[in-house]
Every structure is written in C-alpha cells, then in structure tokens.
Amino acid sequence: MSQDFKTTTLLRSEESGGAVSMVDVTAPPRWGGPPLHHHDFDEAIYVLDGKLTFQLGEQLLTATRGRFLFAPAGAAHTLANLADEPARYLLVVTPGGFERFFERMAAEAAGVEPPPSALEPYPETTMVGPVIGERPDLDSGRPVPEVPGRIKVVLRGAENGGRVSIMDNVVPGPTKGPPLHHHEFDEAFYVLDGELTFQLGDEAVTRGAGELAFARGGVHHAFANRGDDDARQLIVCTPAGFERYFQRIAAKEAGVEPPAEAMEPWPEVVTLGPRVWD
C-alpha cells in the first residue's frame, strides 16, 4: 500500500473490552482501495475530507465531507478514492480488533516495531471480487445525501444487531451540556468541529477537531461547549440503544412524530450532577 496511506488508531479494542475500535484514515489521490471483501465485523465510515467511492454489494455510492457509509458484518463491500485529492475518513469497527491490521501496516511503513497489542490476531477478511476500478459494469455512483437537522442518528442498532449506534450532533455555543452521569454502555465522542470540554471520571479534558474522548461503561462523565461558536461531534454508543433518546429529540425539533422504534426503552442513565460548567 502507498506510503501516502496514513492511519492513526484513536481507540483500541482493548480499551473498550473488544466492543469497538476507531481509526483515522487518510487515503492518497487515485487510491484503488482493497478488493471487494467481507468479514464478521461491521465497518462504519464517516467522511472527514475529500470524496470516497463505496461499493456495497452491487450498489455504488459516492460520499463527500459529512456523509456516512455503513457495511454490516457479512456484507460484501469495498471503497476507493478515485479523486485527485486525498480523502480522510473515520473508521468505526464493531466489534473491534481490525485496528491491529492498520497498526502493523503503519509500523512497517515507518520501519519501526508495532505496538504489542498489534501483534494479537486480527479478524479474517475474505476477498470475493475485484477493486472498484476493475468493475466498468458498475454505474458511476449515487451521491449520499446530507441528513438534515441538528441531531442526526446516522446508524441505529436495528441495522447491526444492536452492536453500535452513531449520532452526528451539533452542540450550540455556549451549552452547559448534560449533568454528570454514568451508564452501562460505552460512549465515544469524536469532535468534528469546534472545541468541547469533557469530564471523564476525575479528569477534565478539552478536545478539538479530530480528537476523541472516551467514557467506558460505568465511568461518570459529561461535556459542555464553553465557546461562543457551535461545535459538532460524533457520538458512538456500544452497545446500541441510546440512539432512541436522540431520535426523540430530532423528531421534536423537526416537528414530526418519532419512529416507532424510538418509543422503545433506552438504556438507563444515572444522573450524579452537576454539569461540567456549573
């Protein structure tokens, strides 16, 4: 693979008890990508910059900044950067483990030893077809549309056996955020724009665009936007279920009825208080 293909592991499998891993990936221009393949883990892809071409089965999609793509476990898929500029994306893998493949590749390109965790086995991938550029029979690709609204539920647990849900949320500035709380599911916060302050256990941290905050299940946490400008973050919940809370908020803000699944119970949240900013 090209030396211009760069990866940074943001969340390792062992940090989440194997539930999820997250990798920041930069693909060079005219990158053909891997052959069509499938595996036993889910891959969620959020485009951070540039344009990606994504194949899912026989369907071809194109996605630009702020668009979301998903391949559930077992589905044949691949991706490529067919543009003349680099493309960058956030890869969310559930369950985790495949970050070890990228860590070994990065270590080899840098001529250094991989971290010990990367030497553990990673999930098997089965190749079932050619790269996208070798399929002239495929159409040119349907653009992935933008999802409207301040609160966007881009991935529901119903789409992946309850393993993961993902929200794309704008946090207006200034906002005090939720009270200090904890719950049994893990929650990862990836800042897309702006800056957010997090309370994670006894530690207060600030995260800007491209940075991650992670609250393991049971750890008390909260966040706030102390600035005047809006911030935006991806929230990744493993296992899923809490997306129903956000579905209800999104429906209320849009002035529509929430979907039936949003009326099902969501995981219990225990409020400890106060807010980060109180």
Side-chain angles (χ1 to χ4, degrees), residues 51-206:
K51 180 180 179 179
L52 289 176
T53 301
F54 184 73
Q55 182 181 348
L56 183 63
E58 291 297 309
Q59 183 182 27
L60 207 64
L61 303 168
T62 57
T64 53
R65 187 178 190 272
R67 306 302 192 265
F68 179 80
L69 302 159
F70 181 64
H77 66 284
T78 189
L79 77 165
N81 177 15
L82 304 181
D84 293 325
E85 300 295 331
R88 180 169 161 245
Y89 60 94
L90 179 69
L91 176 65
V92 181
V93 175
T94 49
F98 199 67
E99 75 280 4
R100 297 168 195 145
F101 167 82
F102 294 110
E103 289 180 319
R104 292 189 198 183
M105 182 179 65
E108 182 178 352
V112 299
E113 289 295 319
S117 61
L119 299 178
E120 297 290 329
Y122 51 78
E124 180 182 2
T125 296
T126 303
M127 305 301 176
V128 294
V131 299
I132 288 175
E134 296 174 5
R135 288 291 307 274
D137 56 306
L138 291 173
D139 60 34
S140 58
R142 175 175 61 85
V144 175
E146 182 179 8
V147 178
R150 181 182 70 87
I151 302 291
K152 304 177 180 68
V153 178
V154 297
L155 183 63
R156 302 170 296 118
E159 300 172 75
N160 55 75
R163 287 180 291 275
V164 59
S165 61
I166 301 178
M167 283 60 65
D168 176 350
N169 294 351
V170 173
V171 184
T175 298
K176 289 189 175 182
L180 194 67
H181 63 281
H182 68 78
H183 38 63
E184 292 186 359
F185 59 89
D186 297 341
E187 199 167 17
F189 306 88
Y190 180 86
V191 180
L192 295 164
D193 297 301
E195 188 175 87
L196 293 169
T197 299
F198 295 88
Q199 183 73 35
L200 302 170
D202 296 328
E203 183 183 14
V205 299
T206 299

